[in-house]
């Protein structure tokens, strides 16, 4: 999953993901280790930052 923050302040958001995506590996930036709940990942992205998270199944 790739996410960008184009704002000049930090952004926290719940982002929809495939429901089978249970764990995440950060490829760029900080990614949570696990989904917040099935089908959702909670991200906090630095101002003008980005993250890339590789999803893994159950």
């Amino acid at each position: 999953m790739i996410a960008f923050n184009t704002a000049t302040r930090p952004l926290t958001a719940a982002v929809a993901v495939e429901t089978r995506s249970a764990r995440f590996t950060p490829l760029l930036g900080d990614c949570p280790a696990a989904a917040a709940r099935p089908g959702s990942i909670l991200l906090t992205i630095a101002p003008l930052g980005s993250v890339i998270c590789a999803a893994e199944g159950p």
Side-chain angles (χ1 to χ4, degrees):
M1 192 251 338
I2 299 173
F4 300 94
N5 178 5
T6 59
T8 56
R9 62 176 192 229
L11 172 69
T12 299
V15 178
V17 295
E18 166 63 48
T19 56
R20 292 176 291 181
S21 299
R23 295 181 307 276
F24 297 87
T25 301
L27 301 178
L28 175 70
D30 293 324
C31 297
R37 62 177 192 226
S40 179
I41 184 173
L42 185 62
L43 293 176
T44 299
I45 307 171
L48 304 174
S50 58
V51 296
I52 301 175
C53 307
E56 301 174 25

